[in-house]
């Protein structure tokens, strides 16, 4: 099972880095990847029914600070300037992740959530999804641009990277996302060790829920978002 996302990640990376690919090939690649994610992860969708919005509370876990990011055009912007007064769902990933229960799974659930948000006129104005790469050396603006295209992202779902260094360290530390580089005995880079986490951040930039394996379910995230929105009318 682990080989599937590894091959997927390798295919995405090589395709994104190939500047000479024809448009027809790129379009085929987009369709195939979307189907691949669906076929790979749909059988593992949770079977539970999440509680109805507004029937529970989501206490503040912690509030985060602003951080510098880089978008798929290479432009520099801050987390808060992009998020503004919206509710945000934030995932930390890297494109070459080969862990079955890692970045590819997060992207699949983010894609399901994106469809729900994008088809709801109210939510589409109040919610933004962010996938932020911590592999700044390989996940360049050009690479994340091609990768995001392969997942049919909308303006509600943005892919970002960082300049690395202290900016990245501060961002990961603020959210409590641990990341460790892995090398073989010869010093060759193998990837990253990290725990799958997706964060729900309210309009005041406070984390209200953290989803990981077993609890990462787009229907639950959607109900949590609606619960936060209901707080405003009480």
């Amino acid at each position: 099972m682990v080989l599937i996302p590894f091959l997927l990640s390798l295919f995405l990376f090589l395709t994104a880095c190939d500047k000479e690919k024809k448009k027809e090939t790129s379009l085929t690649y987009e369709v195939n990847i979307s189907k691949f994610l669906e076929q790979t992860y749909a059988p593992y969708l949770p079977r539970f029914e999440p509680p109805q919005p507004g029937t529970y509370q989501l206490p503040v876990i912690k509030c985060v600070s602003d951080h510098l990011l880089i978008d798929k055009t290479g432009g520099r912007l801050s987390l808060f300037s992009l998020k503004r007064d919206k509710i945000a769902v934030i995932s930390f990933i890297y494109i070459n992740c080969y862990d079955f229960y890692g970045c590819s799974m997060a992207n699949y659930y983010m894609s399901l959530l994106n469809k729900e948000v994008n088809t709801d006129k109210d939510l589409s104005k109040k919610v933004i999804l962010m996938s932020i790469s911590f592999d700044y050396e390989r996940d360049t603006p050009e690479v994340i641009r091609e990768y995001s295209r392969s997942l049919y992202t909308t303006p509600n779902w943005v892919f970002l990277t960082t300049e690395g260094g202290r900016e990245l360290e501060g961002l990961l530390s603020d959210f409590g996302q641990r990341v460790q580089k892995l090398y073989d005995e010869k010093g060759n880079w193998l990837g990253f060790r990290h725990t799958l986490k997706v964060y729900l951040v309210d309009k005041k930039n406070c984390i209200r829920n953290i989803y990981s394996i077993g609890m990462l379910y787009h229907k639950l995230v959607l109900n949590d978002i609606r619960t936060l929105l209901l707080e405003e009318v009480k």
Side-chain angles (χ1 to χ4, degrees), residues 108-202:
Y108 174 63
Y109 284 110
M110 291 285 274
S111 70
L112 295 180
L113 185 60
N114 180 53
K115 291 177 183 177
E116 297 283 354
V117 169
N118 195 51
T119 54
D120 186 306
K121 291 184 179 180
D122 185 49
L123 289 181
S124 64
K125 298 176 182 177
K126 299 178 179 179
V127 177
I128 184 168
L129 313 181
M130 302 182 191
S131 294
I132 305 174
S133 172
F134 45 77
D135 187 8
Y136 65 96
E137 295 175 297
R138 280 158 285 272
D139 294 347
T140 62
E142 182 181 19
V143 170
I144 62 172
R145 181 172 64 248
E146 292 302 314
Y147 189 81
S148 65
R149 286 179 63 247
S150 74
L151 294 172
Y152 296 115
T153 57
T154 67
N156 296 102
W157 185 14
V158 295
F159 275 73
L160 304 144
T161 187
T162 75
E163 292 184 340
R166 292 183 178 179
E167 290 291 345
L168 176 58
E169 292 173 4
L171 172 65
L172 296 176
S173 176
D174 202 5
F175 277 84
Q177 175 70 72
R178 293 184 178 181
V179 174
Q180 179 182 0
K181 288 186 177 181
L182 299 176
Y183 299 91
D184 64 17
E185 62 278 3
K186 296 182 179 180
N188 299 312
W189 178 80
L190 296 175
F192 293 89
R193 178 181 288 119
H194 67 105
T195 301
L196 171 62
K197 291 183 180 180
V198 176
Y199 301 82
L200 178 66
V201 182
D202 66 18

Side-chain angles (χ1 to χ4, degrees), residues 61-101:
I61 297 174
K62 69 164 295 187
C63 297
V64 298
S65 303
D66 202 6
H67 298 276
L68 179 65
L69 301 170
I70 298 175
D71 66 19
K72 60 186 180 181
T73 69
R76 294 158 57 96
L77 71 169
S78 74
L79 173 65
F80 290 176
S81 67
L82 178 60
K83 179 181 173 293
R84 294 181 291 178
D85 61 345
K86 296 182 178 181
I87 293 172
V89 180
I90 300 176
S91 172
F92 292 98
I93 63 163
Y94 74 107
I95 291 177
N96 287 291
C97 180
Y98 56 83
D99 186 353
F100 183 81
Y101 298 106

Side-chain angles (χ1 to χ4, degrees), residues 101-102 105 196 211-216:
Y101 298 106
M105 176 176 279
L196 171 62
Y211 313 95
S212 192
I213 298 172
M215 293 301 292
L216 179 55

